[in-house]
Amino acid sequence: MVSDSIAAAPILSAANTKNPGKKKRTNRSAKLKQYKIDARREQWLSQGAVKNKGCKDGIDDDGHVPSLPVGKHSKRELEKVETRRRGEDDDVSIHQDSDSESPSNSPISSNSSVLCGNDSGTNFTGSSSGGSSSSSSSSGGCYSGNITEEEEDDDEEVEEGDDECLDDWEAVADALAADDKLQTSSQDEPVVETDSSCEVTNGSGVGSMSSKPGSDGVLPWASGNNKAWRADDAFRPQTLPNLSKQHSMPNPDRCCGGGIPWSRNSVPSNCPICCEDLDLTDSSFLPCNCGFRLCLFCHKRILEQDGRCPGCRKQYECEPIETEASVHGGSLTLRLARSVSMIERTLKCLQIIIQQTGPWVVFEHQGRYSTEILC
Amino acid sequence: MIDFARVQKELVECSKDAEGSGIRVIPKSDNLVHLIGTIPGPIGTPYEGGVFQIDITLPEGYPFEPPKMQFSTKVWHPNISSQSGAICLDILKDQWSPALTLKTALLSVQALLSAPQPDDPQDAVVAQQYLKDYQTFVNTARYWTESFAKTSSRGIEVKVQKLVEMGFPEAQVRSILEAVGGDENLALERLL
């Protein structure tokens, strides 16, 4: 498909503008290739002429249709789309897909349609009115439609230096993120994730990410929900406990001292029930919303009896926080896994999540749950 | 199985702050199952000036089950049996939490002395008196404090101090003094 689409671009320009520069190449192999391409074009043209006889709509709309190499399969698609949603941008993309002789799936079609959004209008205006320049931009759109699948195409697009496509890149990411909510096909999701990750690397940090509402729900730590607060996060709620203290502040007086021995602001070094040391799993274990921490052994012992939290005397709700943690952690891991090659910092967090079983804590803050990663 | 490590730690913690809170917990015997807690009578109450002894027995499930506490000093209080010294306090029953300690439980008992709850009485006679004739209740409670919480405990403390100065361990002195009914000479004979 890649070679086809690359080969299709010169054909397009040659067919539309009779660009002499292509034929003046001194390189023999290039000439040979050109001959081959010409031969294929002749073949396509003959096929297209035969097929176009049965397709009056395309001819009426635009005179360039017979001259364009249009495949058999995409011809039918073209007819459908023309009758159904004439004047939409998707027609351009399908037109491009027909060049590459590959029926592509719908998300990629919409992708290229957004990229070529400036080529709006009726069917085939992208190639008819713009001439060579617009056709090259259209082919750029075609490439960027493929870009999410193969990196070679990414390079192609950068080499072409089509500024319009690059400018529209963020808009495409936004549109894709919005599109992702509608299309739940599993095949589409990795494409969207990769796009958003590219966007993140192009952007300038958290501010640019949070300013895009379209990217919500794509990256968990960039969105409002499921946010994993860092200890140094400026927007971290004050009410969340300070987890950094647990390693540096052993406080034995807190264990059996008077008053309230537990506090949201610190993690005791010993279990207040059995006075044994809390290990990392214990200290990241938060079985109750009241913030009372205890070791897993004592928690199990209490569950065997009345099952009430020693801190607030409320019933442990069938370990709801643990479930939340696993659910949140699971989604976090899945989402991060797609953009793992893009962000090193994310990768670190991801590794910790995968390698250890409980390095995060879930907090409820103003009715929503947030995860805190202990790294 | 009693978590003796925790009990030991509680005793250490309690002795650290004994001067400030006035609450002491001393093992009655060597096995840390039976203990004696002492609380001072709250200031501004009929119990002021008295030192009240509480027998503590740790159940097998401690700290997941509440300690059994009972006044060994006679107290006139709506929520404490004037006969047996049984205490009617929720945290010693269904509201116990493993996060509580002997010291916090004794603090709660001390707070109960300052804030009687006659609506949920342990001793109905005292509760009736508290509700219908409060002044008589206060006088009676003060008399009981003078009679039982001061002399006996003060006397015992003096005897304990004497025997400890002789070189005997305090826990042993207390248990033997109690076993012989507070007789200093009998206790000394036993110790020797």
Side-chain angles (χ1 to χ4, degrees), chain B residues 96-119:
Chain B
W96 169 256
S97 159
L100 295 171
T101 61
L102 294 175
K103 184 186 172 185
T104 53
L106 287 173
L107 273 168
S108 299
V109 172
Q110 191 185 28
L112 182 69
L113 289 182
S114 350
Q117 292 167 17
D119 297 333

Side-chain angles (χ1 to χ4, degrees), chain A residues 120-305:
Chain A
S120 63
T122 56
N123 193 17
F124 298 150
T125 48
S127 56
S128 63
S129 63
S132 66
S133 66
S134 79
S135 74
S136 73
S137 82
S138 298
S139 60
C142 181
Y143 287 142
S144 51
N146 299 332
I147 189 174
T148 53
E149 294 176 352
E150 309 222 10
E151 288 206 356
E152 294 175 41
D153 295 339
D154 193 1
D155 299 334
E156 280 286 332
E157 189 209 47
V158 173
E159 281 175 17
E160 283 196 22
D162 199 331
D163 288 340
E164 287 179 355
C165 287
L166 286 177
D167 284 344
D168 286 344
W169 184 242
E170 291 184 353
V172 171
D174 289 349
L176 281 172
D179 197 26
D180 185 40
K181 291 170 185 171
L182 298 174
Q183 301 186 4
T184 55
S185 167
S186 62
Q187 194 185 355
D188 300 339
E189 287 203 349
V191 176
V192 174
E193 290 293 330
T194 319
D195 282 349
S196 306
S197 307
C198 286
E199 180 201 353
V200 168
T201 48
N202 289 338
S204 62
V206 181
S208 69
M209 286 186 288
S210 58
S211 66
K212 291 185 182 66
S215 62
D216 274 358
V218 177
L219 287 173
W221 46 274
S223 62
N225 295 326
N226 306 336
K227 187 163 185 174
W229 297 105
R230 310 287 305 185
D232 53 350
D233 200 324
F235 299 102
R236 189 175 184 273
Q238 297 283 326
T239 53
L240 292 182
N242 193 354
L243 292 168
S244 60
K245 285 183 180 175
Q246 64 178 337
H247 302 295
S248 58
M249 271 186 61
N251 195 353
D253 293 338
R254 199 166 287 281
C255 172
C256 298
I260 302 172
W262 60 94
S263 150
R264 281 188 171 269
N265 294 328
S266 67
V267 178
S269 60
N270 295 337
C271 172
I273 310 302
C274 64
C275 301
E276 297 292 327
D277 289 344
L278 291 179
D279 60 17
L280 184 63
T281 314
D282 291 332
S283 52
S284 57
F285 175 58
L286 191 62
C288 184
N289 284 331
C290 75
F292 185 84
R293 295 172 186 276
L294 71 171
C295 72
L296 290 164
F297 291 105
C298 291
H299 180 251
K300 183 176 177 292
R301 173 81 188 261
I302 288 169
L303 284 183
E304 286 169 357
Q305 292 186 341

Side-chain angles (χ1 to χ4, degrees), chain B residues 173-192:
Chain B
V173 167
R174 281 184 188 278
S175 63
I176 288 176
L177 263 177
E178 189 171 9
V180 297
D183 191 313
E184 191 181 337
N185 294 323
L186 273 176
L188 186 58
E189 277 181 23
R190 283 226 191 163
L191 284 165
L192 291 169

